[in-house]
Amino acid sequence: MSRSIFIVIVILIAVFGIIGFPTSVSALVRNVKSNIRLGLDLRGGSYLVLEVQVQDAVKGDADQVIEQLKDTFRKQNVSYASIDRNDPQTVEQAGNLQIDIKGVPAAAANSVRSVISDGYGDWVLTSVNSTDYYLRMKPSALEQLKKDTVDRSIQTISNRINNLGVTEPTVQQYGSSSDKYEILVQLPSVDDPQEVRNMIGTVANLQITEVKDGPYPSREAGMAQHGGVRPLNTEFYKLLPRSANEGEQWFLCSRLPVITGRDMRNARAGQGDLRKWETNFTLSPDGGKRFATFTEANIGNKLAVVLDKQIVSVATIESRIEDQGRITGLGSEQEAVDLANYLKSGSLPAGVVYTHTNTIGPSLGADSIHAGLMAGVAGLAAVVFVMLVYYRRSGVNAVLALFLNTILLLAALSYFHAVLTLPGIAGVILTVGMAVDSNVLIFERIREELRAGKAVIAAVDNGFNKAWWTIVDTHVTTVVSCAFLFLFGEGPVRGFAVTLVIGLIANVFTAVFISRTIFEYELSGRRGMQELSI
């Protein structure tokens, strides 16, 4: 009795996971569609692959090290001629990035080595001569930085897509190549991904950096002012015009920012005293501390807010600024809201390049669903027919177990928020075959016991007991294969593996536990039964 109650409870929980509490037929259909989530290949949508330019993150990390070294050397009275880095342009060249430290007095060599060993464990210091050195990142630290860059990019892209309200997006690492760092983005029901692509593609690489000189009417004019040579560790940035009639303005800014998007903690759109739109931001404790130190030492100088290599605002430092600031001069409310979303979701730690973009129409998904259902129904009908004809009344037992197995599988997909893809449907159909195979093993074992002259009840008990280890062996072997598919496969292959494993677990429960309970219920009170319909 307790076993029967447990089975009923499990079935009720499974049914609830699929249909919920429908109050009408339309609610029932709506609940099923909501609980059984369809993948991109069935539902239609957009499919994008992005390559992360991890060399940008390596250069950004090196820029922070340069700024920190300058501050540390200044505090310890270690003089130097220059501290700068090279500029690797590709992922492959990222490992060749080096920071050059030149013109250090020979007497300060021990101080330089002490600073690097105490505070920069991820970098290796190499002496060029008595006054010059260079730093290179350790290979292990470089690989970890690349991995962290991809992970942060995935998180940032996920946040940005969620801000758009796209339902059930998939953002995950794509491929396993050691020289490419790619991200897969799947957007169900989005047939025009341009808006999302614009959002993802905006690095929102925010820098608040010191203005060295300007404005100039053009970049060429600025270069001419400095003898045609751009000063070390500086860059020319163009100020975004506030109106169509405003002429170009270029500023010479430090390439080493005071704070970056990494230091952002929150951002929101608002209006200033003159009812003009602006974006207010809050910095991390560390970023706020650095910003306060810089602004206190540079009162009267200018700062530029640089977003994606374009200046959105130039302001004069009037007082010490700590962990809060604002970006003014924005043209509209939408511009202020978009900028707040970029900053709130976090700066992408590196640029991204689209390597593949594809759109799957909902009609193709509907055709796949129809074809998959037709294949499933045809296969199920053939299985039911064979089981009923070959095993007669006992075949009803197998058909019922098969039906319950499908319910448990769909319920598990619903509770785990798994997505059913076209390969997943193949996994469901394969699960049906595995379920039939388990029932055939059990029934044939029972037949062997009956042919050996055993009584019906003893034959049923022995048949289930002897078939048990064979069923476990076949299922464990398949689960191990699915584990390898999940570990080394991509999204659709993983979906197939997950669906098949869930189906196998449900199969063991239905073919052995539920099927045996049905046999025992049928045979209860019939100890003298001489023949079994099998």
Side-chain angles (χ1 to χ4, degrees), residues 219-236:
R219 182 187 182 92
E220 291 72 20
M223 289 289 289
Q225 186 69 27
H226 291 273
V229 179
R230 179 165 48 85
L232 191 64
N233 288 326
T234 60
E235 185 59 80
F236 284 99

Side-chain angles (χ1 to χ4, degrees), residues 209 211 300-305 311 313-318 326 328:
T209 186
V211 175
N301 295 336
K302 291 183 178 180
L303 279 176
V305 179
I311 297 176
S313 178
V314 176
T316 301
I317 304 173
E318 298 178 349
R326 60 181 179 173
T328 59

Side-chain angles (χ1 to χ4, degrees), residues 56-57 59-65 67-68 152 203-209 237 254-266 281-284 286-288 290-291 304-308 327 342-344 346-350:
D56 293 347
K59 290 188 285 188
D61 193 76
D63 288 340
Q64 286 194 344
V65 169
E67 190 68 22
Q68 292 167 4
R152 285 181 54 210
V203 178
N205 184 11
L206 177 74
Q207 299 179 352
I208 298 182
T209 186
Y237 295 120
S254 172
R255 199 176 68 179
L256 305 176
V258 182
I259 60 173
T260 67
R262 295 182 181 183
D263 302 306
M264 290 292 164
R265 287 297 174 265
N266 196 12
F281 62 86
T282 304
L283 302 176
S284 66
D286 180 64
R290 284 188 279 109
F291 199 42
V305 179
V306 182
L307 183 67
D308 290 341
I327 302 172
Y342 294 145
L343 302 182
K344 185 166 55 179
S347 287
L348 280 171

Side-chain angles (χ1 to χ4, degrees), residues 362-379:
S363 60
L364 179 60
D367 292 341
S368 299
I369 294 175
H370 180 264
L373 288 177
M374 290 301 296
V377 169

Side-chain angles (χ1 to χ4, degrees), residues 12 70 226 261 290 294 304 319 356 361 369 372 395 425 460 474 491 502 525:
L12 290 177
K70 288 182 176 180
H226 291 273
R290 284 188 279 109
F294 180 85
S319 62
H356 183 72
I369 294 175
I425 291 180
V460 171
T474 57
I502 294 174

Side-chain angles (χ1 to χ4, degrees), residues 15 77 79 107 154-155 159 266-267 365 384 404 412 423 436 439 476 505:
V15 171
N77 296 319
S79 61
I154 291 173
Q155 183 61 46
N159 291 340
N266 196 12
V384 169
L404 295 177
V436 171
N439 281 281
V476 168
I505 295 173

Side-chain angles (χ1 to χ4, degrees), residues 5 84 92 95 103 159 195 234 248 275 294 306 350 383 388 432 489 507:
I5 294 175
D84 57 11
E92 293 77 12
N159 291 340
E195 180 183 1
T234 60
E248 289 189 4
R275 308 298 295 171
F294 180 85
V306 182
V383 167
L388 292 178
V432 171
N507 180 42

